Amino acid sequence: MSSSTNSLDDVSADSSAEFPDRASMMEVRLQAQEDEITLLKSSLADALRRIRLHDQLLPLMKQQLIAVNPGAARVLNQVCCSDGCTSSRKLSSSSAVDGSRHADASQLSESIVTNANGHIGGLKSLEPRPGPVTLDRSTQTDPIIRGQDAVQIGISLSRCVKSLELEDALPPGQPVEGTRAKLHRVPGMEEEDEEQDEDEEAGGEQEKELSWTSSVEEPIQPTTIRGLQREDYQDGSSSPEEVASPSASVRTSDPNLNSRCGPLATIQEGQGQKAPLVRRNSEKLGNPERQRKRLDKKAASSANLLARSPSLENRAKEMIAGAGSPGSRRGTYSQGQSIKMFIRGRPITMYIPSNIQNYEDLKMEPPSERLELDWVYGYRGRDCRANLYFLPTGEAVYFIACVIVLYHINNRTQRHYRKHTDCVRCLTLHPDKVRVASGQSAGVDKDGKPLQPCVHIWDSTSLVTLQQIGLGTFQKGVGSVAFSFADSGAFLCVIDDSNEHMLSVWDCNKGTKYAEVKSTNEAVFAVEFNPSDSTSIITCGKSHVYFWTLNAGQFTKKQGIFGKYKKPKFIQCFVFSLTGDVLTGDSEGNILTWGKSAADIKTLGKGAKETLQIMRQTRAHEGSVFTLCTLQGGGLLSGGGKDRKIIRWSADLAPERECEIPENFGAVRTLADVDGEELLVGTTRNAILRGTFSDGFVAIVQGHVDEMWGLATHPSQSIFLTCGHDRQVCLWNTEEYKLDWCISLEEYGLCADFCPNGSVVSVGLNTGRWLVLDLLTREVVSESTDGNEQLSVMRYSPDGSFLAVGSHDNFIYIYNVTESGRRYIRFGKCNGHSSFITHLDWSKDGKYIMSNSGDYEILYWDIAAGCKLLRNRFESKDREWASYTCVLGFHVMGVWLEGSDGTDINALCRSHSERMVAVADDFCKVHLFQYPCPKPKAPSHKYEGHGSHVTNVCFTHSDSHLLSMGGKDTCILQWKVVGGCAVDSRERLASASSTSTSSPEPTTG
């Protein structure tokens, strides 16, 4: 790492520490305040809806009572007549304004007739008269809505009509209790009733002086009454049987309201025919100070109402959204059970399916299945050196991500050392060819705190860790390690990744530090002990070669002098020859031979000591010399960068043989001698080749070379497809552990999915273009472009008749699929998300889609009805999904950790058996949860291995294996699913909801 880069990093770190991100803090606070305002608005809207429903039920109750006993009409008529006199006096100042509205009400009142038994009959006329909609401020009445709107919405009843006294209207001897209709108490309104009682007690004589103002009378339409019955029944307040029961009785929520309640609307008795029943809207006028106190109490009551009904916000949004749409009705959504989860302060409502009776009693357990690491695809040769060795056991040892792989090149089997907690950066082999030392990066935990890097010394036969060195000593990570040879590996030399690149020597047996010194601020690429002298150490890197001498725990440094030779920008590697000379390979393509020479007194002055200078320069490669490897007979191997050549040199650096590796594998990164003739070659494009100079080289390990996101498994075969930023599309075989084929594209792929018939696969690219590839011929059979932004998800419907394409332009494009997946015709577009699409799934019947977006929305779409957005998400709570990859949903709510910011989970995948769900998170972990897991803090099995954010996970068609894919670590891990029993997820959910036991603690796999 250059000094300029290091200084910039330091400045950036200091700036971030000194000046906190105030904009982010203000954004979080603003979001929290907006959420509070939204919740308060929702609670108030729900309270007003309940009040309106309460008031609209009263005239219906009154009508039913009159139908039971016609004698009640006489009493009600007497009361209403007195009310008419009072109302006429009170309305004298506003009669001119309201005259037109009374005329309209009279016209509408003629449209309803009642039959002899008191039930409402048919409509005579529903033709509305044109007239302005007015709002009388003096009476606080709602505007009149005429015609069909009046049938649908209705007008609120006067708040004064609270109860009816029935004693005078009943036949002699009939008990009042048998006929008193019980008016339901609206949940959440108890505080308001108590507040009214307090106002009555405190008001005293002022209460008698308050007057009631009549506003408008309007007949009740039959359709409105039936709608009110349905509304009340769906809301759970009362059933239709209770509303229509002749033996029901009316009971007010406030027993003190009888003394101050205004009169009812007039009901006239005719010759065998009753006049239309009307309702009256009026408002109570009082002291402004007492009105202000009452509003404060109502606000507190609304806050309490929110806590009682967890779905208020969602219901309010749905009512507002559906009010203006054709055929929609406000307040007709079933309340249902729902729960909320919050991500970055944003509430997300989840509706509980009907088959869960007791959500609180659900028990969450980790799945009985577990994962075992079966295979590792890839090799880290892009940015690491000297990381490939051949063991006497016939195994090649190398690393990628956090895993060190021991691959038997003949048996084609793998073993894995998995004790590292972050990406492995360096590797070296002990002189006994059994012990291995490996160093790792520091990394950070989920809270952003740096982890402590260290060096592990372990046994390659038993995979047992023998020593853990330097925990808490190294900064940023370990860059290079080397064992001493002269004393049989008693010491270990380490270079860390700090700015000073600290050079330290450790006692391998005791695990203690023997000496330490600052080496240089420039990048260091390699470190080695002199094979014949454990006190002599050499390091090389950017523009330097240093020769260190260790004496009594103190280091002495000498710098290599380039003299008359051009100083290269990088010294890439070095080895010791059999004669004791040091050979270096540099970025100019030369092999330099270094040796000791007498001091140049003329140049350096008196007292100058001997120096280490270049004795010989040998032109070797075009471009850099990335690696040098000594052979047993004294020969030398060199690997080139730009020319991709491997050259064999004699002991006196005369070229003997050479070969060139294929261009698609990149340059030569490192070399390992197998038996003097056969070689292992690590390349810069993350491949390991095996071969000889005469027979050539073939790849035995391959992998991606840049960040990967696209992953798809075949619906019936043991193969899977990957794509990433390296523009490669690769098809892998999970049974033979090999790459079947790989093609290169002009743009990089981000998502993919197999057609259900298994013959083609679609790949979404970063430009909005997507391709359909034939698996056998690898040819493009179809292509299309949707928008100009990157595509994030491709998903075929279960029967293969549709393809859904999710884009970062916020749209989901739907295509009709014909000719076995080879022809695609645009069917429609799902428009409704306010952010980019992240995940989507099809229902099992292939008619609906569930989708997630970047702003944590969960939306449902009716594709069969023309890609229509389903605004009532409650209706989708019991829908079954063919796949489950959406990270937001009731069935996977438990996978989110407390305090997650919404990007912590990159992907998830439900198994085909619907018994488990795998999760890929941002903290290098793969989780295995029970499915479903609808409760927070659900336990899981956690698995390590990736050294970067895990971008995707997917089960194979038989659920025998799980595939996980790292981002920057370019690693694909294949996990074997072991254990488990065949229990259907629906049966598990039903049994879990009927019992309640404590959940075990999460276990680590």
Side-chain angles (χ1 to χ4, degrees):
M1 183 180 295
S2 65
S3 59
S4 61
T5 304
N6 293 334
S7 62
L8 289 175
D9 292 339
D10 295 340
V11 171
S12 177
D14 295 340
S15 300
S16 61
E18 184 177 358
F19 304 104
D21 192 357
R22 297 183 178 178
S24 298
M25 297 171 60
M26 293 300 297
E27 181 182 357
V28 172
R29 293 180 180 177
L30 180 61
Q31 183 66 35
Q33 292 177 357
E34 291 178 352
D35 293 335
E36 292 177 359
I37 294 174
T38 302
L39 294 177
L40 183 58
K41 289 181 178 179
S42 302
S43 63
L44 292 177
D46 192 86
L48 293 175
R49 188 193 65 80
R50 290 172 178 270
I51 292 172
R52 185 175 68 252
L53 182 62
H54 189 166
D55 293 342
Q56 290 173 346
L57 283 175
L58 289 178
L60 183 63
M61 294 292 188
K62 183 176 66 175
Q63 179 188 356
Q64 296 293 340
L65 289 173
I66 295 174
V68 173
N69 191 352
R74 182 178 62 259
V75 178
L76 295 176
N77 188 34
Q78 293 175 358
V79 177
C80 294
C81 287
S82 62
D83 177 52
C85 298
T86 306
S87 300
S88 61
R89 290 192 299 269
K90 298 297 181 181
L91 289 175
S92 59
S93 61
S94 58
S95 59
V97 179
D98 295 333
S100 61
R101 286 183 290 178
H102 282 286
D104 291 338
S106 301
Q107 177 68 22
L108 287 173
S109 64
E110 295 175 0
S111 63
I112 298 180
V113 295
T114 53
N115 52 30
N117 60 4
H119 294 122
I120 297 178
L123 293 175
K124 287 185 177 181
S125 175
L126 281 178
E127 298 180 0
R129 291 186 180 181
V133 177
T134 61
L135 181 64
D136 191 351
R137 287 184 175 273
S138 63
T139 57
Q140 296 294 315
T141 60
D142 295 332
I144 301 174
I145 302 176
R146 295 174 172 82
Q148 295 180 356
D149 290 338
V151 176
Q152 182 178 3
I153 301 177
I155 298 181
S156 301
L157 181 66
S158 170
R159 299 296 291 273
C160 69
V161 183
K162 292 292 183 178
S163 64
L164 298 173
E165 293 296 330
L166 303 179
E167 287 78 13
D168 296 333
L170 296 177
Q174 183 171 353
V176 177
E177 291 76 15
T179 58
R180 187 175 296 275
K182 296 181 180 180
L183 182 63
H184 70 282
R185 235 176 134 82
V186 179
M189 299 302 298
E190 292 83 357
E191 292 84 357
E192 194 170 339
D193 295 336
E194 294 172 2
E195 166 260 314
Q196 291 175 355
D197 294 340
E198 293 174 2
D199 288 347
E200 289 174 1
E201 295 176 1
E205 296 298 328
Q206 296 179 4
E207 186 69 20
K208 299 179 181 178
E209 299 175 1
L210 295 177
S211 60
W212 294 85
T213 311
S214 174
S215 62
V216 65
E217 294 180 356
E218 185 177 315
I220 301 177
Q221 307 290 353
T223 55
T224 304
I225 296 175
R226 289 194 295 268
L228 289 175
Q229 288 179 335
R230 288 195 299 268
E231 280 189 0
D232 190 61
Y233 177 64
Q234 292 178 355
D235 197 63
S237 301
S238 61
S239 63
E241 291 79 10
E242 292 175 347
V243 174
S245 175
S247 61
S249 58
V250 176
R251 183 170 299 168
T252 179
S253 298
D254 191 345
N256 299 324
L257 283 176
N258 288 334
S259 60
R260 58 185 176 92
C261 186
L264 297 174
T266 305
I267 300 178
Q268 299 178 353
E269 288 187 278
Q271 299 296 328
Q273 182 180 5
K274 296 183 178 63
L277 181 64
V278 296
R279 59 185 175 187
R280 185 187 307 275
N281 291 336
S282 58
E283 186 63 36
K284 185 176 180 180
L285 304 177
N287 190 341
E289 181 64 19
R290 294 181 58 215
Q291 292 287 343
R292 184 184 62 80
K293 293 181 179 180
R294 178 173 298 176
L295 288 176
D296 293 340
K297 293 183 178 181
K298 287 184 177 181
S301 175
S302 300
N304 293 333
L305 183 64
L306 176 64
R308 293 194 178 114
S309 182
S311 60
L312 292 182
E313 177 198 5
N314 184 68
R315 292 169 58 198
K317 287 182 178 179
E318 288 175 342
M319 287 189 292
I320 293 172
S325 60
S328 64
R329 296 184 67 243
R330 294 172 61 96
T332 60
Y333 297 98
S334 300
Q335 181 168 350
Q337 284 186 310
S338 64
I339 54 178
K340 277 189 175 66
M341 66 176 291
F342 290 83
I343 295 182
R344 299 190 68 179
R346 175 167 184 167
I348 303 174
T349 303
M350 311 284 187
Y351 289 101
I352 301 176
S354 302
N355 61 337
I356 299 180
Q357 302 300 324
N358 299 310
Y359 172 77
E360 296 298 333
D361 293 337
L362 286 176
K363 61 177 181 178
M364 294 291 100
E365 297 179 350
S368 56
E369 297 86 355
R370 290 181 176 270
L371 301 180
E372 292 180 355
L373 186 57
D374 183 38
W375 200 263
V376 177
Y377 299 91
Y379 156 75
R380 185 169 181 172
R382 177 187 51 177
D383 57 353
C384 290
R385 296 168 171 81
N387 60 351
L388 176 63
Y389 295 89
F390 186 74
L391 299 178
T393 57
E395 295 171 308
V397 55
Y398 59 93
F399 60 77
I400 183 172
C402 302
V403 183
I404 300 177
V405 181
L406 294 89
Y407 174 59
H408 200 289
I409 61 175
N410 293 324
N411 299 338
R412 299 182 62 191
T413 58
Q414 282 187 355
R415 296 187 298 140
H416 312 102
Y417 179 77
R418 299 175 53 200
K419 299 301 180 181
H420 284 284
T421 58
D422 207 274
C423 284
V424 183
R425 289 290 312 280
C426 54
L427 189 70
T428 190
L429 190 60
H430 195 272
D432 63 8
K433 304 293 184 181
V434 175
R435 281 178 282 180
V436 178
S438 52
Q440 69 173 60
S441 300
V444 295
D445 61 10
K446 65 179 182 179
D447 298 323
K449 298 179 181 179
L451 299 175
Q452 295 179 335
C454 64
V455 175
H456 288 199
I457 301 177
W458 48 280
D459 190 302
S460 62
T461 303
S462 62
L463 302 180
V464 174
T465 303
L466 304 175
Q467 198 71 255
Q468 191 175 16
I469 290 179
L471 186 65
T473 302
F474 308 123
Q475 297 182 20
K476 296 185 179 179
V478 179
S480 300
V481 289
F483 281 108
S484 60
F485 283 80
D487 49 15
S488 301
F491 292 96
L492 180 72
C493 184
V494 180
I495 297 282
D496 72 4
D497 286 334
S498 64
N499 295 334
E500 295 82 11
H501 295 96
M502 300 299 295
L503 169 63
S504 58
V505 175
W506 299 76
D507 188 319
C508 295
N509 296 323
K510 299 179 181 179
T512 57
K513 183 163 56 179
Y514 179 71
E516 185 178 36
V517 68
K518 295 180 180 179
S519 63
T520 178
N521 289 332
E522 302 290 352
V524 179
F525 295 153
V527 61
E528 286 289 348
F529 281 94
N530 190 319
S532 58
D533 184 6
S534 296
T535 63
S536 177
I537 300 173
I538 299 178
T539 62
C540 72
K542 183 179 180 181
S543 303
H544 76 270
V545 177
Y546 291 147
F547 298 85
W548 304 84
T549 301
L550 179 61
N551 186 13
Q554 299 296 323
F555 281 101
T556 302
K557 179 176 71 172
K558 291 183 179 181
Q559 184 172 356
I561 305 299
F562 290 91
K564 64 179 181 180
Y565 297 98
K566 179 182 178 181
K567 186 177 182 179
K569 186 175 182 180
F570 297 103
I571 303 296
Q572 304 279 10
C573 55
F574 68 90
V575 293
F576 291 90
S577 67
L578 295 180
T579 60
D581 294 333
V582 177
L583 306 177
T584 63
D586 60 36
S587 56
E588 299 297 325
N590 298 320
I591 298 177
L592 304 178
T593 303
W594 298 77
K596 294 180 180 180
S597 64
D600 187 355
I601 300 177
K602 294 181 180 180
T603 304
L604 302 177
K606 292 182 180 180
K609 299 180 181 180
E610 64 178 7
T611 60
L612 292 160
Q613 296 182 354
I614 299 174
M615 308 299 294
R616 178 184 176 185
Q617 176 177 287
T618 304
R619 183 64 179 175
H621 293 274
E622 181 182 355
S624 293
V625 179
F626 277 141
T627 182
L628 294 172
C629 176
T630 57
L631 301 174
Q632 293 179 356
L636 180 70
L637 294 173
S638 66
K642 188 176 181 180
D643 60 7
R644 306 188 314 279
K645 288 183 178 180
I646 302 173
I647 302 177
R648 179 168 180 164
W649 306 82
S650 64
D652 58 353
L653 292 183
E656 296 179 345
R657 303 187 69 175
E658 70 175 47
C659 70
E660 182 178 327
I661 66 174
E663 182 180 1
N664 60 302
F665 296 129
V668 179
R669 175 62 76 187
T670 186
L671 295 168
D673 181 20
V674 175
D675 55 8
E677 183 67 23
E678 190 174 25
L679 302 176
L680 296 179
V681 183
T683 72
T684 56
R685 290 188 65 83
N686 295 348
I688 297 178
L689 312 180
R690 178 188 181 186
T692 63
F693 284 98
S694 56
D695 298 334
F697 293 86
V698 295
I700 59 174
V701 175
Q702 289 179 265
H704 284 270
V705 295
D706 207 343
E707 187 171 1
M708 301 179 295
W709 283 92
L711 174 65
T713 55
H714 195 275
S716 59
Q717 301 178 26
S718 298
I719 56 177
F720 66 96
L721 183 136
T722 59
C723 56
H725 290 190
D726 58 2
R727 296 179 171 84
Q728 291 189 133
V729 177
C730 301
L731 187 71
W732 309 83
N733 192 307
T734 61
E735 292 182 347
E736 299 181 6
Y737 308 113
K738 68 182 183 68
L739 178 66
D740 282 347
W741 54 258
C742 178
I743 63 172
S744 297
L745 304 176
E746 296 179 358
E747 303 105 15
Y748 58 82
L750 294 172
C751 52
D753 193 33
F754 283 91
C755 184
N757 62 23
S759 61
V760 297
V761 61
S762 60
V763 180
L765 308 179
N766 65 310
T767 58
R769 193 164 69 101
W770 54 273
L771 311 173
V772 180
L773 303 174
D774 187 284
L775 291 183
L776 297 178
T777 64
R778 311 176 200 175
E779 295 179 351
V780 177
V781 298
S782 179
E783 64 176 297
S784 183
T785 301
D786 291 313
N788 56 3
E789 297 192 41
Q790 68 183 42
L791 304 180
S792 52
V793 57
M794 311 284 289
R795 191 78 64 213
Y796 283 93
S797 62
D799 59 358
S801 59
F802 289 102
L803 172 65
V805 181
S807 172
H808 268 230
D809 63 5
N810 305 356
F811 298 132
I812 301 175
Y813 301 91
I814 308 298
Y815 283 83
N816 261 322
V817 182
T818 56
E819 299 180 8
S820 300
R822 298 175 181 272
R823 185 181 180 188
Y824 296 80
I825 301 174
R826 173 79 72 84
F827 175 78
K829 181 172 68 173
C830 299
N831 180 9
H833 274 292
S834 55
S835 184
F836 57 90
I837 311 302
T838 59
H839 307 84
L840 65 86
D841 292 291
W842 286 88
S843 62
K844 290 186 176 180
D845 57 11
K847 297 180 179 180
Y848 302 92
I849 281 180
M850 169 176 58
S851 58
N852 293 167
S853 60
D855 57 352
Y856 324 126
E857 277 186 325
I858 308 174
L859 297 185
Y860 299 91
W861 311 87
D862 189 343
I863 304 304
C867 304
K868 177 183 177 183
L869 174 62
L870 300 178
R871 297 190 179 276
N872 186 5
R873 294 186 291 121
F874 176 79
E875 297 176 354
S876 300
K877 65 185 179 68
D878 293 326
R879 190 161 286 125
E880 295 185 351
W881 303 100
S883 62
Y884 212 118
T885 60
C886 289
V887 297
L888 295 174
F890 173 81
H891 294 85
V892 296
M893 188 177 62
V895 306
W896 289 89
L897 297 177
E898 188 174 0
S900 297
D901 68 350
T903 62
D904 293 342
I905 294 180
N906 297 312
L908 64 79
C909 180
R910 184 191 66 189
S911 63
H912 298 86
S913 63
E914 302 186 13
R915 297 201 305 265
M916 51 188 167
V917 58
V919 175
D921 70 13
D922 248 3
F923 311 112
C924 314
K925 302 291 190 302
V926 174
H927 300 256
L928 192 65
F929 288 87
Q930 168 188 288
Y931 181 85
C933 52
K935 297 193 71 173
K937 301 179 180 180
S940 67
H941 302 307
K942 292 182 289 187
Y943 301 93
E944 299 178 347
H946 286 286
S948 176
H949 55 291
V950 186
T951 57
N952 217 331
V953 288
C954 197
F955 285 95
T956 58
H957 71 99
S958 61
D959 290 340
S960 61
H961 292 84
L962 173 72
L963 298 159
S964 63
M965 192 162 59
K968 292 295 186 180
D969 65 14
T970 68
C971 176
I972 304 171
L973 299 183
Q974 180 173 312
W975 307 85
K976 184 178 181 181
V977 180
V978 297
C981 57
V983 178
D984 187 82
S985 62
R986 290 179 290 272
E987 296 178 1
R988 180 192 295 120
L989 195 60
S991 61
S993 64
S994 61
T995 59
S996 177
T997 60
S998 60
S999 298
E1001 293 294 325
T1003 57
T1004 303

